[in-house]
Amino acid sequence: MSITVTLPDGSELSVEAGSTVRDVAYEIGPGLGRDTVAGVVDGEFVAKEHPIEEDVSLEIVTPDSDEYLEALRHSAAHVFAQALQRLHPEAKLTIGPWTDQGFYYDVTGVDLDEADLEEISAEAQEIIEADLPIERVEMGREEAFDYYDDNRFKREILEEEVAGEDPVSFYEQGEFCDLCRGPHVESTGEIGGFALLEISGAYWRGSEDNEMLTRVYGTAFPSEDELEAFLDRREQAKERDHRKIGREMDLFSVPEHSPGCVHYHPNGMAIHRELEEYIRTKNDELGYEEVRTPELNKAELWKPTGHYETFTEQGEMFAWEQDDTEYGLKPMNCANHAYIYDRQVRSYRDLPVRFSEFGNVYRNEQSGELSGLLRVRGMTQDDGHAFIRRDQIEGEITRTLGIIEDIYGQFGLEVLYKLETKGETAVGSDEVWEEATESLREALETADLDYEVEEGEAAFYGPKIGLDARDALGREWTIGTVQLDFNIPERLDLSYTGEDNEEHRPVMVHRALLGSFERFMGVAIEHFDGDFPTWLAPEQVRILPISDDNLAYAEEVKRELGEFRVGIEDRSWTIGKKIQAAHDDRVPYMLIVGGNEEEANTVSVRDRFEREQGDVDVVTVRDHLASEVGQKRLEPDLLE
């Protein structure tokens, strides 16, 4: 039987059912066949030996493809596992996938610490230099279970993740053989740069109810130069760690008595307030009305929408029984905003109806996954929901995307757009999902924005445009979202009266411009390395009196600059030490005042880049700050 394979350029190829990805590549050309590493079949990354049984879209992965690095890193994970078992035969392997940054392997049965990594890495390097072929082999299910007779983790994978498969695929290199679907590169020698990075703990299957395993992180690249560049960026990232800078600048803390819930200190709250006011102006531009809804609700509120089932199944909802009634802390604001919409009779003339909220929501994240501001249990979302007519979809989404471009540009962040499509947990009909997905696609294309399609990654109630931000180190962070929802209005029986005097369903747009303030602040701290633009800086100006005799004049200058966040260094230090302290505290501007400045009613200005300008009138300083802060310029610039 013949099937049709659609290639990335839209061309079609007829091949026999059961042909592998590599077979198809050879049909296209012998050179491509030889270079084939893997394939992407209907969006799924698969091994080159993967058989194709029905009509599909196919992308051939070669060493020039973006996906090649994933296959290389998957192979590097096997190299680590082989090296580990050479040195520690008692070690039991569990899973070892590739990641965006490299790979990890979870193991048990062996005590490892950071000191062991050097020896394991040296053994791994020998395996790489041996250039061992990596070959796919098959075992019958019974043989596979016997192979792992003393490894309950691999047996569990056989029972659950590859249930029904017979034979089962393994990959072999030298004496090492591991249960795996692939894909992998041709040989261990293709790994040009290899490094083990760190050790941590991880629960089996990610559940705190399961055994704690040892997780070893590593990375790999086609060349040593690429590895060195990565390690350099990693060291820079350590220096920019928002938790480290947060302590140095006294921005926030996450104490033991509030795990996963942030305490904003005055400096951090200054940034939070600036972000909130900035987003408030953007909400005004988009026509949103601000609301406030309670954090505590009866769990019944979330059952019709599907949120209750989804969040309780995943263990992410804080819920409890009281007086025979189940209550919960809201994990999202959608249902509350829908309630406000439904309090009034709505006409087609009223739409769009838009509600925004800086709402506190809670997710019961696992303790081991909490990380400073980036992974929390309590967060403040810059949330918004628009209730619109079908004919308003493209305009609403396009306007929102335009504002998002403005926002991220204001921070010097590059936005990456991802169209996330229907997944396994989706509710609603295929027809509704197709209409919603195509509407988002059209909006992206109308706005002339590049985007990637991420199959199966959407929320359960509708497709979405995921917003990733690329920071100063080239790292990508998932932050905001724009989602289109035909399902919740149906489930909550929301309506408006149309021009035909009949009832119609509105469409919901869910959008968060920054995502959550916590995560965005963590990203911004690392992106700016704590050197915030003047408009965001917790302390925008610090006045440095040369001596205590100049303190009174320093107070006068501060009053002149009353609309800004201004501090006075009143410790009896040398001026050199005061300048160094202000520099260490990442203050954008320093105003030095001594006897000469006081007599002339001026200041000497110094910025964080150590540029200086003397004999500046205070009014000139004030006007310059007003201009820089008002325009939200990224860098302080010395007075002209």
PDB file of all heavy atoms in Angstrom, residues 85 93 139-151 154-155 158 170-172 175-179:
ATOM      1  N   GLN A  85      28.446   3.618  34.441  1.00  0.00           N
ATOM      2  CA  GLN A  85      28.370   2.192  34.760  1.00  0.00           C
ATOM      3  C   GLN A  85      29.721   1.495  34.628  1.00  0.00           C
ATOM      4  O   GLN A  85      29.939   0.459  35.260  1.00  0.00           O
ATOM      5  CB  GLN A  85      27.321   1.526  33.866  1.00  0.00           C
ATOM      6  CG  GLN A  85      25.895   1.992  34.207  1.00  0.00           C
ATOM      7  CD  GLN A  85      24.833   0.989  33.839  1.00  0.00           C
ATOM      8  OE1 GLN A  85      24.822   0.488  32.715  1.00  0.00           O
ATOM      9  NE2 GLN A  85      23.947   0.690  34.773  1.00  0.00           N
ATOM     10  N   LEU A  93      20.126   2.961  36.204  1.00  0.00           N
ATOM     11  CA  LEU A  93      19.701   4.070  35.354  1.00  0.00           C
ATOM     12  C   LEU A  93      18.181   4.156  35.328  1.00  0.00           C
ATOM     13  O   LEU A  93      17.488   3.144  35.405  1.00  0.00           O
ATOM     14  CB  LEU A  93      20.222   3.864  33.938  1.00  0.00           C
ATOM     15  CG  LEU A  93      21.721   3.591  33.784  1.00  0.00           C
ATOM     16  CD1 LEU A  93      22.051   3.297  32.326  1.00  0.00           C
ATOM     17  CD2 LEU A  93      22.526   4.790  34.273  1.00  0.00           C
ATOM     18  N   MET A 139      14.640  -5.882  21.122  1.00  0.00           N
ATOM     19  CA  MET A 139      14.476  -7.026  22.010  1.00  0.00           C
ATOM     20  C   MET A 139      12.990  -7.320  22.140  1.00  0.00           C
ATOM     21  O   MET A 139      12.155  -6.395  22.136  1.00  0.00           O
ATOM     22  CB  MET A 139      15.013  -6.722  23.420  1.00  0.00           C
ATOM     23  CG  MET A 139      16.496  -6.630  23.571  1.00  0.00           C
ATOM     24  SD  MET A 139      16.930  -6.521  25.336  1.00  0.00           S
ATOM     25  CE  MET A 139      18.617  -5.923  25.217  1.00  0.00           C
ATOM     26  N   GLY A 140      12.662  -8.594  22.266  1.00  0.00           N
ATOM     27  CA  GLY A 140      11.295  -8.947  22.608  1.00  0.00           C
ATOM     28  C   GLY A 140      10.970  -8.455  24.016  1.00  0.00           C
ATOM     29  O   GLY A 140      11.877  -8.233  24.826  1.00  0.00           O
ATOM     30  N   ARG A 141       9.699  -8.286  24.325  1.00  0.00           N
ATOM     31  CA  ARG A 141       9.324  -7.731  25.637  1.00  0.00           C
ATOM     32  C   ARG A 141       9.854  -8.593  26.777  1.00  0.00           C
ATOM     33  O   ARG A 141      10.362  -8.074  27.767  1.00  0.00           O
ATOM     34  CB  ARG A 141       7.804  -7.589  25.745  1.00  0.00           C
ATOM     35  CG  ARG A 141       7.226  -6.482  24.882  1.00  0.00           C
ATOM     36  CD  ARG A 141       5.770  -6.218  25.222  1.00  0.00           C
ATOM     37  NE  ARG A 141       5.610  -5.694  26.569  1.00  0.00           N
ATOM     38  CZ  ARG A 141       5.833  -4.417  26.911  1.00  0.00           C
ATOM     39  NH1 ARG A 141       6.254  -3.547  25.996  1.00  0.00           N
ATOM     40  NH2 ARG A 141       5.660  -4.020  28.145  1.00  0.00           N
ATOM     41  N   GLU A 142       9.727  -9.902  26.657  1.00  0.00           N
ATOM     42  CA  GLU A 142      10.188 -10.770  27.743  1.00  0.00           C
ATOM     43  C   GLU A 142      11.693 -10.631  27.933  1.00  0.00           C
ATOM     44  O   GLU A 142      12.193 -10.581  29.063  1.00  0.00           O
ATOM     45  CB  GLU A 142       9.813 -12.226  27.460  1.00  0.00           C
ATOM     46  CG  GLU A 142       8.324 -12.510  27.635  1.00  0.00           C
ATOM     47  CD  GLU A 142       8.026 -14.002  27.583  1.00  0.00           C
ATOM     48  OE1 GLU A 142       8.967 -14.808  27.765  1.00  0.00           O
ATOM     49  OE2 GLU A 142       6.851 -14.343  27.353  1.00  0.00           O
ATOM     50  N   GLU A 143      12.419 -10.587  26.823  1.00  0.00           N
ATOM     51  CA  GLU A 143      13.871 -10.421  26.905  1.00  0.00           C
ATOM     52  C   GLU A 143      14.234  -9.078  27.546  1.00  0.00           C
ATOM     53  O   GLU A 143      15.169  -8.992  28.350  1.00  0.00           O
ATOM     54  CB  GLU A 143      14.482 -10.520  25.508  1.00  0.00           C
ATOM     55  CG  GLU A 143      16.006 -10.464  25.501  1.00  0.00           C
ATOM     56  CD  GLU A 143      16.575 -10.462  24.095  1.00  0.00           C
ATOM     57  OE1 GLU A 143      15.793 -10.516  23.118  1.00  0.00           O
ATOM     58  OE2 GLU A 143      17.817 -10.414  23.962  1.00  0.00           O
ATOM     59  N   ALA A 144      13.456  -8.030  27.204  1.00  0.00           N
ATOM     60  CA  ALA A 144      13.704  -6.707  27.774  1.00  0.00           C
ATOM     61  C   ALA A 144      13.466  -6.707  29.280  1.00  0.00           C
ATOM     62  O   ALA A 144      14.246  -6.121  30.045  1.00  0.00           O
ATOM     63  CB  ALA A 144      12.820  -5.671  27.090  1.00  0.00           C
ATOM     64  N   PHE A 145      12.406  -7.377  29.718  1.00  0.00           N
ATOM     65  CA  PHE A 145      12.148  -7.457  31.166  1.00  0.00           C
ATOM     66  C   PHE A 145      13.257  -8.229  31.864  1.00  0.00           C
ATOM     67  O   PHE A 145      13.692  -7.866  32.968  1.00  0.00           O
ATOM     68  CB  PHE A 145      10.786  -8.108  31.427  1.00  0.00           C
ATOM     69  CG  PHE A 145       9.633  -7.137  31.411  1.00  0.00           C
ATOM     70  CD1 PHE A 145       8.802  -7.057  30.317  1.00  0.00           C
ATOM     71  CD2 PHE A 145       9.390  -6.296  32.496  1.00  0.00           C
ATOM     72  CE1 PHE A 145       7.740  -6.155  30.287  1.00  0.00           C
ATOM     73  CE2 PHE A 145       8.344  -5.401  32.480  1.00  0.00           C
ATOM     74  CZ  PHE A 145       7.502  -5.328  31.376  1.00  0.00           C
ATOM     75  N   ASP A 146      13.734  -9.287  31.236  1.00  0.00           N
ATOM     76  CA  ASP A 146      14.845 -10.049  31.831  1.00  0.00           C
ATOM     77  C   ASP A 146      16.109  -9.191  31.900  1.00  0.00           C
ATOM     78  O   ASP A 146      16.878  -9.279  32.871  1.00  0.00           O
ATOM     79  CB  ASP A 146      15.123 -11.313  31.012  1.00  0.00           C
ATOM     80  CG  ASP A 146      14.018 -12.349  31.152  1.00  0.00           C
ATOM     81  OD1 ASP A 146      13.229 -12.244  32.120  1.00  0.00           O
ATOM     82  OD2 ASP A 146      13.941 -13.244  30.282  1.00  0.00           O
ATOM     83  N   TYR A 147      16.330  -8.381  30.845  1.00  0.00           N
ATOM     84  CA  TYR A 147      17.518  -7.521  30.801  1.00  0.00           C
ATOM     85  C   TYR A 147      17.531  -6.563  31.995  1.00  0.00           C
ATOM     86  O   TYR A 147      18.594  -6.222  32.529  1.00  0.00           O
ATOM     87  CB  TYR A 147      17.527  -6.744  29.486  1.00  0.00           C
ATOM     88  CG  TYR A 147      18.775  -5.927  29.254  1.00  0.00           C
ATOM     89  CD1 TYR A 147      19.966  -6.531  28.855  1.00  0.00           C
ATOM     90  CD2 TYR A 147      18.771  -4.548  29.429  1.00  0.00           C
ATOM     91  CE1 TYR A 147      21.111  -5.783  28.638  1.00  0.00           C
ATOM     92  CE2 TYR A 147      19.917  -3.790  29.212  1.00  0.00           C
ATOM     93  CZ  TYR A 147      21.087  -4.408  28.822  1.00  0.00           C
ATOM     94  OH  TYR A 147      22.222  -3.666  28.608  1.00  0.00           O
ATOM     95  N   TYR A 148      16.356  -6.129  32.405  1.00  0.00           N
ATOM     96  CA  TYR A 148      16.236  -5.188  33.528  1.00  0.00           C
ATOM     97  C   TYR A 148      15.647  -5.867  34.765  1.00  0.00           C
ATOM     98  O   TYR A 148      14.861  -5.269  35.501  1.00  0.00           O
ATOM     99  CB  TYR A 148      15.364  -4.003  33.127  1.00  0.00           C
ATOM    100  CG  TYR A 148      16.023  -3.057  32.156  1.00  0.00           C
ATOM    101  CD1 TYR A 148      15.436  -2.778  30.926  1.00  0.00           C
ATOM    102  CD2 TYR A 148      17.225  -2.424  32.460  1.00  0.00           C
ATOM    103  CE1 TYR A 148      16.028  -1.888  30.028  1.00  0.00           C
ATOM    104  CE2 TYR A 148      17.836  -1.550  31.567  1.00  0.00           C
ATOM    105  CZ  TYR A 148      17.224  -1.292  30.358  1.00  0.00           C
ATOM    106  OH  TYR A 148      17.825  -0.428  29.476  1.00  0.00           O
ATOM    107  N   ASP A 149      16.050  -7.120  35.002  1.00  0.00           N
ATOM    108  CA  ASP A 149      15.440  -7.855  36.112  1.00  0.00           C
ATOM    109  C   ASP A 149      15.718  -7.231  37.468  1.00  0.00           C
ATOM    110  O   ASP A 149      14.966  -7.436  38.420  1.00  0.00           O
ATOM    111  CB  ASP A 149      15.899  -9.320  36.095  1.00  0.00           C
ATOM    112  CG  ASP A 149      17.400  -9.466  36.362  1.00  0.00           C
ATOM    113  OD1 ASP A 149      18.145  -8.488  36.115  1.00  0.00           O
ATOM    114  OD2 ASP A 149      17.829 -10.548  36.793  1.00  0.00           O
ATOM    115  N   ASP A 150      16.798  -6.412  37.578  1.00  0.00           N
ATOM    116  CA  ASP A 150      17.121  -5.787  38.866  1.00  0.00           C
ATOM    117  C   ASP A 150      16.947  -4.266  38.818  1.00  0.00           C
ATOM    118  O   ASP A 150      17.479  -3.540  39.653  1.00  0.00           O
ATOM    119  CB  ASP A 150      18.552  -6.132  39.290  1.00  0.00           C
ATOM    120  CG  ASP A 150      19.588  -5.553  38.328  1.00  0.00           C
ATOM    121  OD1 ASP A 150      19.196  -5.185  37.190  1.00  0.00           O
ATOM    122  OD2 ASP A 150      20.773  -5.472  38.700  1.00  0.00           O
ATOM    123  N   ASN A 151      16.199  -3.754  37.822  1.00  0.00           N
ATOM    124  CA  ASN A 151      15.993  -2.307  37.699  1.00  0.00           C
ATOM    125  C   ASN A 151      14.488  -2.042  37.568  1.00  0.00           C
ATOM    126  O   ASN A 151      13.923  -2.093  36.473  1.00  0.00           O
ATOM    127  CB  ASN A 151      16.738  -1.762  36.476  1.00  0.00           C
ATOM    128  CG  ASN A 151      16.703  -0.236  36.407  1.00  0.00           C
ATOM    129  OD1 ASN A 151      15.744   0.397  36.831  1.00  0.00           O
ATOM    130  ND2 ASN A 151      17.756   0.354  35.861  1.00  0.00           N
ATOM    131  N   LYS A 154      13.315   0.874  35.019  1.00  0.00           N
ATOM    132  CA  LYS A 154      13.221   0.532  33.599  1.00  0.00           C
ATOM    133  C   LYS A 154      12.041  -0.414  33.351  1.00  0.00           C
ATOM    134  O   LYS A 154      11.350  -0.304  32.325  1.00  0.00           O
ATOM    135  CB  LYS A 154      14.515  -0.109  33.118  1.00  0.00           C
ATOM    136  CG  LYS A 154      15.732   0.812  33.123  1.00  0.00           C
ATOM    137  CD  LYS A 154      15.637   1.886  32.055  1.00  0.00           C
ATOM    138  CE  LYS A 154      16.951   2.640  31.907  1.00  0.00           C
ATOM    139  NZ  LYS A 154      16.885   3.734  30.907  1.00  0.00           N
ATOM    140  N   ARG A 155      11.783  -1.315  34.298  1.00  0.00           N
ATOM    141  CA  ARG A 155      10.650  -2.227  34.141  1.00  0.00           C
ATOM    142  C   ARG A 155       9.330  -1.454  34.168  1.00  0.00           C
ATOM    143  O   ARG A 155       8.395  -1.778  33.430  1.00  0.00           O
ATOM    144  CB  ARG A 155      10.678  -3.301  35.239  1.00  0.00           C
ATOM    145  CG  ARG A 155      11.838  -4.280  35.093  1.00  0.00           C
ATOM    146  CD  ARG A 155      11.949  -5.197  36.295  1.00  0.00           C
ATOM    147  NE  ARG A 155      10.851  -6.148  36.374  1.00  0.00           N
ATOM    148  CZ  ARG A 155      10.845  -7.343  35.807  1.00  0.00           C
ATOM    149  NH1 ARG A 155      11.920  -7.749  35.101  1.00  0.00           N
ATOM    150  NH2 ARG A 155       9.823  -8.149  35.932  1.00  0.00           N
ATOM    151  N   LEU A 158       8.859   0.013  30.814  1.00  0.00           N
ATOM    152  CA  LEU A 158       8.390  -1.029  29.900  1.00  0.00           C
ATOM    153  C   LEU A 158       6.900  -1.307  30.088  1.00  0.00           C
ATOM    154  O   LEU A 158       6.157  -1.511  29.127  1.00  0.00           O
ATOM    155  CB  LEU A 158       9.189  -2.317  30.105  1.00  0.00           C
ATOM    156  CG  LEU A 158      10.620  -2.334  29.558  1.00  0.00           C
ATOM    157  CD1 LEU A 158      11.402  -3.514  30.131  1.00  0.00           C
ATOM    158  CD2 LEU A 158      10.586  -2.414  28.026  1.00  0.00           C
ATOM    159  N   PHE A 170      16.130  -0.611  21.632  1.00  0.00           N
ATOM    160  CA  PHE A 170      17.262  -0.258  22.482  1.00  0.00           C
ATOM    161  C   PHE A 170      18.315   0.401  21.587  1.00  0.00           C
ATOM    162  O   PHE A 170      18.292   0.249  20.366  1.00  0.00           O
ATOM    163  CB  PHE A 170      17.885  -1.500  23.128  1.00  0.00           C
ATOM    164  CG  PHE A 170      17.117  -2.059  24.292  1.00  0.00           C
ATOM    165  CD1 PHE A 170      15.870  -2.653  24.107  1.00  0.00           C
ATOM    166  CD2 PHE A 170      17.643  -2.010  25.570  1.00  0.00           C
ATOM    167  CE1 PHE A 170      15.170  -3.178  25.177  1.00  0.00           C
ATOM    168  CE2 PHE A 170      16.954  -2.540  26.657  1.00  0.00           C
ATOM    169  CZ  PHE A 170      15.714  -3.126  26.459  1.00  0.00           C
ATOM    170  N   TYR A 171      19.247   1.126  22.225  1.00  0.00           N
ATOM    171  CA  TYR A 171      20.401   1.648  21.491  1.00  0.00           C
ATOM    172  C   TYR A 171      21.661   1.142  22.165  1.00  0.00           C
ATOM    173  O   TYR A 171      21.775   1.134  23.394  1.00  0.00           O
ATOM    174  CB  TYR A 171      20.363   3.173  21.426  1.00  0.00           C
ATOM    175  CG  TYR A 171      19.468   3.678  20.320  1.00  0.00           C
ATOM    176  CD1 TYR A 171      18.095   3.759  20.510  1.00  0.00           C
ATOM    177  CD2 TYR A 171      19.977   4.005  19.077  1.00  0.00           C
ATOM    178  CE1 TYR A 171      17.251   4.180  19.493  1.00  0.00           C
ATOM    179  CE2 TYR A 171      19.153   4.441  18.053  1.00  0.00           C
ATOM    180  CZ  TYR A 171      17.788   4.524  18.271  1.00  0.00           C
ATOM    181  OH  TYR A 171      16.970   4.940  17.253  1.00  0.00           O
ATOM    182  N   GLU A 172      22.610   0.741  21.322  1.00  0.00           N
ATOM    183  CA  GLU A 172      23.811   0.046  21.781  1.00  0.00           C
ATOM    184  C   GLU A 172      25.042   0.796  21.290  1.00  0.00           C
ATOM    185  O   GLU A 172      25.092   1.235  20.136  1.00  0.00           O
ATOM    186  CB  GLU A 172      23.777  -1.371  21.205  1.00  0.00           C
ATOM    187  CG  GLU A 172      24.851  -2.293  21.716  1.00  0.00           C
ATOM    188  CD  GLU A 172      24.639  -3.701  21.147  1.00  0.00           C
ATOM    189  OE1 GLU A 172      24.866  -3.880  19.926  1.00  0.00           O
ATOM    190  OE2 GLU A 172      24.234  -4.602  21.908  1.00  0.00           O
ATOM    191  N   GLU A 175      29.882  -1.870  24.839  1.00  0.00           N
ATOM    192  CA  GLU A 175      29.257  -2.815  25.769  1.00  0.00           C
ATOM    193  C   GLU A 175      27.961  -2.289  26.375  1.00  0.00           C
ATOM    194  O   GLU A 175      27.243  -3.005  27.079  1.00  0.00           O
ATOM    195  CB  GLU A 175      30.247  -3.148  26.900  1.00  0.00           C
ATOM    196  CG  GLU A 175      30.312  -2.135  28.048  1.00  0.00           C
ATOM    197  CD  GLU A 175      31.026  -0.824  27.711  1.00  0.00           C
ATOM    198  OE1 GLU A 175      31.546  -0.684  26.585  1.00  0.00           O
ATOM    199  OE2 GLU A 175      31.082   0.056  28.596  1.00  0.00           O
ATOM    200  N   PHE A 176      27.626  -1.031  26.086  1.00  0.00           N
ATOM    201  CA  PHE A 176      26.485  -0.377  26.734  1.00  0.00           C
ATOM    202  C   PHE A 176      25.234  -0.495  25.871  1.00  0.00           C
ATOM    203  O   PHE A 176      25.274  -0.295  24.651  1.00  0.00           O
ATOM    204  CB  PHE A 176      26.800   1.101  26.958  1.00  0.00           C
ATOM    205  CG  PHE A 176      25.679   1.881  27.591  1.00  0.00           C
ATOM    206  CD1 PHE A 176      25.415   1.770  28.944  1.00  0.00           C
ATOM    207  CD2 PHE A 176      24.883   2.722  26.821  1.00  0.00           C
ATOM    208  CE1 PHE A 176      24.384   2.493  29.531  1.00  0.00           C
ATOM    209  CE2 PHE A 176      23.856   3.460  27.399  1.00  0.00           C
ATOM    210  CZ  PHE A 176      23.600   3.343  28.755  1.00  0.00           C
ATOM    211  N   CYS A 177      24.123  -0.823  26.518  1.00  0.00           N
ATOM    212  CA  CYS A 177      22.843  -0.944  25.812  1.00  0.00           C
ATOM    213  C   CYS A 177      21.753  -0.390  26.719  1.00  0.00           C
ATOM    214  O   CYS A 177      21.714  -0.701  27.922  1.00  0.00           O
ATOM    215  CB  CYS A 177      22.566  -2.416  25.494  1.00  0.00           C
ATOM    216  SG  CYS A 177      21.184  -2.663  24.370  1.00  0.00           S
ATOM    217  N   ASP A 178      20.864   0.454  26.151  1.00  0.00           N
ATOM    218  CA  ASP A 178      19.862   1.127  26.973  1.00  0.00           C
ATOM    219  C   ASP A 178      18.533   1.196  26.239  1.00  0.00           C
ATOM    220  O   ASP A 178      18.477   1.479  25.037  1.00  0.00           O
ATOM    221  CB  ASP A 178      20.342   2.555  27.304  1.00  0.00           C
ATOM    222  CG  ASP A 178      19.633   3.141  28.509  1.00  0.00           C
ATOM    223  OD1 ASP A 178      18.919   2.407  29.213  1.00  0.00           O
ATOM    224  OD2 ASP A 178      19.803   4.351  28.749  1.00  0.00           O
ATOM    225  N   LEU A 179      17.464   0.942  26.963  1.00  0.00           N
ATOM    226  CA  LEU A 179      16.109   1.085  26.442  1.00  0.00           C
ATOM    227  C   LEU A 179      15.902   2.522  25.966  1.00  0.00           C
ATOM    228  O   LEU A 179      16.116   3.470  26.714  1.00  0.00           O
ATOM    229  CB  LEU A 179      15.106   0.764  27.554  1.00  0.00           C
ATOM    230  CG  LEU A 179      13.627   1.014  27.271  1.00  0.00           C
ATOM    231  CD1 LEU A 179      13.114   0.020  26.228  1.00  0.00           C
ATOM    232  CD2 LEU A 179      12.818   0.899  28.569  1.00  0.00           C
TER     233      LEU A 179
END
